[in-house]
Amino acid sequence: LNNEVVMGTIRLKEDLDISKNYDVEIEGYARKTAIPTGIFDSLDFIENQTYDGDDLGAVLHGGETTFKVWAPTASRVVLNLYEAGDGGEAFLSVDMEQGEKGVWSSTQPVGHGTYYTYTVTTAMGEQETADPYAKAVGVNGDRGMVIDLDSTDPENWASDAFADNIETYRDAVIWEVHVRDFSNRIADSKYPGKYLAFTETGLKNASGEPVGVDYLVDLGVTHVHLQPVYDYATVDETVSNTFNWGYDPKNYNAPEGSYSTDPFHGEVRVNEFKQMVQALHAKGLAVVMDVVYNHTFDKNASFNKIVPYYYYRYTATGENSDGSGCGNETASERKMFRKFMVDSVTYWANEYHIDGFRFDLMGLHDLETMQAIEQAVHAINPKAILYGEGWTGGTSTLQTNRQAIQANIREIKASEGAAGGVAVFNDAIRDGLKGSVFNALDKGYISGDPSKGRAAAVAFGIEGGGGNTQAWKVDDAMVINYMSSHDNRTLWDKITNANPDATDEQKAAMVRLGAAIVMLSKGTPFWLAGEEMLRTKGGNGNSYNASDAVNNLDWDALVPGSLAASTRDWYRSLIALRKAYAFLRNADVTCQVLSDASIAVTYSENGEVLGIALINPHEAAIGYTLPDGAWGILQNGDSVTLNPDETISGNVEVPAMGVLLVVPVR
Ligand code: CA
């Protein structure tokens, strides 16, 4: 009555029947269903009910298919077979056999293209569900599909390989995009909003400027980070006429259907996804998948219908723990979900040649799971890039010291020979540069608050997140340095909000200064697609289900001579500069915040200075005295040069809202 929590232990004389729910009733208190957490975490359950085989799901062999599902608390599991991914009655429903380790199985004389579900009887009653291990699904992901994966390979798939364009994470330049946003507004695309738009070349905007994949090659980014492309719940694939980011996972091991040309036949999206990866690889671009294992779209998703309560965390009062802010959070520390996560990412790497993964709300995953993923993925591809949000989206029941959050990420080590370990997004440099994402009016270092406090947060990122100015730090520059991502306002909109009186030219100068700082920082530069062309979402601060008009990339903004086009050129020059001068990626970096809050950055190796960057966030030029000797100029205000012929020495001027980057001339 008073929300009073009673803690205690009830000892039973007999073993519990794990296929049943038990209610606990204490006189004077409400009756509650006992969540069987203690059973799942008992040694007995872990030893006798954990399955380590790699054949869960539907496995096709010699003209028949074996279906296996892990359902240790079920009293009955029925396999239903269908002709199609939706509609119609099952042509066969057959009881599966209960075997060892909680695995139920059935072998049937059916093959590629057969759709299936399970009807599982547990303490929650009888529920029909898709198979969470399904590798192909029907429309809207309500049924799995038996698939001959080899038959989905595009031509020459055997010669497709992981991108080989980085030695360390610091060499990557990541461009985050949504499949639908990318091409929906390309007038001459044959596949607007689809996977196949990434296979198109020669596309131009209204001004004749290259767009689509050609644009990315010209820009020089190394990694295309795709917002969710596993099957998610919200967009109705039968019509695909709405927009969603896709952070509402339904089937983790099958591609989203609304991006395929035919969501009704499960093999089409698999084939088209592979064509997309192949086309990007052919252009030298790596492909990163945004993965959202931390919650499911619904707390009674397929996992829960098959093994109620096992895959989720609960509070002491029996509510779903909600560290995701989405109504539930998964339990990576449970062996069968940890295994699911490891198997899932390695499946995408092996089958689809995915080059990296971005973990949504990674703080909800335990460190042991993330280390296991690091080892498993890097055993397949040592150059795969792994990074995530080192925070949660609410209070989690996972102990803080086990969470893969910024403060703990140093505990995860890189496998020998890997390009890195697990990196975290650096919200310190993000908010330092543009102001807090939680306060629309807040200004940052580049946008009207060039203060020492902001400078310290910015310097933390420039130095690769190894300093002591924040509550956390990383080893080996395992930080993703950025100003914008899909979350919150675009950089342009954020700057506009905080500086309503600034001219477009002034705001573009802020973007350019911020981009220069990110690109001169140790760590891995990252940005939301279109930041480099001053992308706006009309001020929308959370466009996850907003219209296409709000979300689509407006390629036609790239008009020759426009601020958008010149800012794109600036980003392209900065990428080229970063690629050409290894010290920007690999040297030891130290920052000195000067009395006026400008920053002097020194790049060195074994005590030898390789470069100096002077960052001026003020609207007037400032003076600076270079160390003795002659210095070649790599960047000065609006100019980026890859051939430092012009030399300077002594007292120099750092342009307003600009950077002067110099190297010693020997
Ligand atoms: Ca879907």
Side-chain angles (χ1 to χ4, degrees):
L1 287 176
N2 302 314
N3 290 325
E4 186 182 353
V5 177
V6 176
M7 304 285 282
T9 304
I10 299 171
R11 293 190 187 283
L12 301 170
K13 287 184 179 155
E14 292 168 21
D15 284 351
L16 294 170
D17 178 350
I18 59 173
S19 70
K20 297 199 162 52
N21 267 350
Y22 289 85
D23 285 358
V24 177
E25 195 170 4
I26 299 172
E27 203 178 335
Y29 292 87
R31 183 187 177 106
K32 293 288 280 187
T33 296
I35 310 288
T37 301
I39 294 173
F40 295 142
D41 296 333
S42 69
L43 275 180
D44 181 57
F45 186 91
I46 291 169
E47 282 176 10
N48 296 312
Q49 306 292 347
T50 302
Y51 183 66
D52 61 7
D54 60 0
D55 55 354
L56 293 173
V59 177
L60 188 59
H61 51 92
E64 49 185 29
T65 300
T66 297
F67 300 85
K68 284 191 179 180
V69 62
W70 184 72
T73 62
S75 57
R76 184 184 183 205
V77 184
V78 172
L79 168 69
N80 309 298
L81 300 177
Y82 295 88
E83 299 286 356
D86 66 332
E89 297 292 316
F91 65 79
L92 181 70
S93 287
V94 60
D95 271 276
M96 299 179 79
E97 285 175 33
Q98 187 171 19
E100 296 285 291
K101 308 284 189 186
V103 174
W104 298 67
S105 65
S106 179
T107 298
Q108 297 297 329
V110 294
H112 178 81
T114 302
Y115 291 83
Y116 70 104
T117 63
Y118 300 125
T119 301
V120 187
T121 306
T122 66
M124 310 279 278
E126 194 181 275
Q127 300 187 87
E128 185 175 1
T129 177
D131 177 5
Y133 298 92
K135 290 175 170 146
V137 295
V139 70
N140 286 329
D142 292 326
R143 294 175 186 167
M145 190 193 91
V146 180
I147 189 161
D148 172 5
L149 285 165
D150 290 346
S151 75
T152 65
D153 292 349
E155 210 174 320
N156 298 321
W157 182 246
S159 58
D160 183 74
F162 295 118
D164 186 14
N165 57 3
I166 60 169
E167 295 301 318
T168 79
Y169 288 7
R170 300 184 301 274
D171 299 335
V173 180
I174 304 173
W175 197 75
E176 182 199 33
V177 75
H178 184 280
V179 170
R180 191 172 168 109
D181 294 359
F182 177 70
S183 57
N184 223 19
R185 212 185 281 180
I186 298 179
D188 51 351
S189 170
K190 287 206 269 304
Y191 307 103
K194 306 297 184 193
Y195 297 125
L196 289 180
F198 288 89
T199 69
E200 296 180 285
T201 56
L203 300 175
K204 304 265 197 263
N205 74 358
S207 309
E209 294 283 298
V211 300
V213 169
D214 290 350
Y215 169 89
L216 295 179
V217 173
D218 174 62
L219 186 61
V221 298
T222 63
H223 285 60
V224 176
H225 158 143
L226 299 170
Q227 281 189 256
V229 283
Y230 53 74
D231 177 39
Y232 60 79
T234 304
V235 171
D236 179 357
E237 297 176 1
T238 64
V239 285
S240 298
N241 59 355
T242 54
F243 175 88
N244 202 278
W245 280 344
Y247 295 86
D248 51 341
K250 190 161 178 179
N251 291 287
Y252 285 107
N253 294 339
E256 163 61 13
S258 64
Y259 305 145
S260 76
T261 60
D262 175 3
F264 295 92
H265 295 91
E267 70 280 11
V268 176
R269 62 181 79 178
V270 177
N271 164 265
E272 291 177 350
F273 193 117
K274 287 178 176 175
Q275 287 191 55
M276 168 180 69
V277 174
Q278 184 180 40
L280 288 165
H281 282 170
K283 297 289 186 185
L285 294 160
V287 184
V288 175
M289 258 181 88
D290 189 342
V291 287
V292 186
Y293 297 107
N294 68 79
H295 71 276
T296 55
F297 77 101
D298 176 349
K299 67 184 180 185
N300 193 30
S302 56
F303 284 125
N304 201 58
K305 289 174 177 164
I306 295 170
V307 195
Y309 305 117
Y310 178 85
Y311 292 97
Y312 299 90
R313 299 189 185 120
Y314 296 87
T315 66
T317 54
E319 306 302 321
N320 278 84
S321 181
D322 190 18
S324 69
C326 298
N328 66 78
E329 68 180 73
T330 54
S332 59
E333 68 279 16
R334 291 250 163 79
K335 286 192 184 301
M336 290 301 288
F337 194 61
R338 175 177 297 153
K339 173 178 160 53
F340 183 87
M341 288 176 63
V342 173
D343 288 351
S344 182
V345 290
T346 54
Y347 170 69
W348 285 104
N350 282 320
E351 184 64 31
Y352 290 88
H353 307 170
I354 292 294
D355 304 283
F357 299 92
R358 175 268 189 196
F359 294 85
D360 188 66
L361 299 181
M362 187 170 66
L364 294 175
H365 303 320
D366 67 299
L367 292 163
E368 191 180 339
T369 297
M370 291 311 302
Q371 184 71 75
I373 285 172
E374 188 282 322
Q375 288 169 350
V377 172
H378 284 146
I380 296 166
N381 174 16
K383 294 186 175 177
I385 185 165
L386 304 172
Y387 53 98
E389 292 182 303
W391 51 73
T392 68
T395 304
S396 171
T397 57
L398 180 66
Q399 301 94 306
T400 307
N401 64 2
R402 297 183 69 185
Q403 298 174 359
I405 52 176
Q406 288 166 333
N408 299 333
I409 206 69
R410 298 168 76 204
E411 293 184 32
I412 295 180
K413 305 301 179 194
S415 295
E416 199 181 332
V422 175
V424 289
F425 281 98
N426 183 0
D427 55 341
I429 193 171
R430 178 195 71 192
D431 287 3
L433 285 169
K434 70 176 183 180
S436 170
V437 297
F438 301 113
N439 176 353
L441 301 178
D442 203 32
K443 301 171 197 273
Y445 188 70
I446 59 168
S447 56
D449 182 18
S451 63
K452 282 187 156 180
R454 295 294 191 196
V458 170
F460 174 77
I462 297 173
E463 292 180 342
N468 284 318
T469 61
Q470 304 297 314
W472 55 281
K473 64 177 185 176
V474 297
D475 292 329
D476 305 321
M478 285 290 114
V479 277
I480 304 295
N481 288 322
Y482 72 122
M483 292 189 284
S484 69
S485 72
H486 64 274
D487 277 320
N488 312 120
R489 288 173 178 76
T490 69
L491 181 60
W492 180 258
D493 288 347
K494 167 70 176 162
I495 287 173
T496 300
N497 240 287
N499 297 277
D501 299 328
T503 64
D504 284 355
E505 285 73 15
Q506 286 172 315
K507 291 186 285 188
M510 296 173 185
V511 171
R512 293 157 64 96
L513 175 61
I517 293 171
V518 168
M519 295 299 290
L520 299 181
S521 296
K522 203 162 178 176
T524 305
F526 169 107
W527 62 89
L528 173 67
E531 180 190 284
E532 76 283 8
M533 52 173 113
L534 309 177
R535 180 178 183 177
T536 177
K537 294 181 186 174
N540 191 310
N542 184 8
S543 68
Y544 78 100
N545 65 352
S547 65
D548 285 330
V550 169
N551 279 293
N552 289 168
L553 260 179
D554 179 13
W555 294 98
D556 288 337
L558 290 170
V559 175
S562 66
L563 278 175
S566 65
T567 306
R568 170 206 57 192
D569 296 347
W570 176 246
Y571 275 70
R572 179 171 49 207
S573 298
L574 290 170
I575 295 170
L577 181 72
R578 186 175 172 88
K579 284 181 178 173
Y581 288 90
F583 77 83
L584 294 173
R585 292 169 274 130
N586 299 332
D588 299 326
V589 183
T590 53
C591 287
Q592 190 186 1
V593 176
L594 304 175
S595 58
D596 66 349
S598 59
I599 302 172
V601 188
T602 304
Y603 302 87
S604 62
E605 219 168 74
N606 303 319
E608 182 193 351
V609 174
L610 303 176
I612 294 176
L614 302 160
I615 299 169
N616 176 12
H618 302 289
E619 295 198 36
I622 58 171
Y624 185 82
T625 306
L626 288 169
D628 287 347
W631 297 82
I633 302 171
L634 294 187
Q635 180 189 333
N636 189 4
D638 285 354
S639 154
V640 173
T641 171
L642 301 181
N643 180 18
D645 288 338
E646 185 188 354
T647 63
I648 53 175
S649 59
N651 295 326
V652 295
E653 198 169 82
V654 185
M657 292 294 290
V659 174
L660 176 64
L661 174 65
V662 296
V663 290
V665 175
R666 282 175 276 271

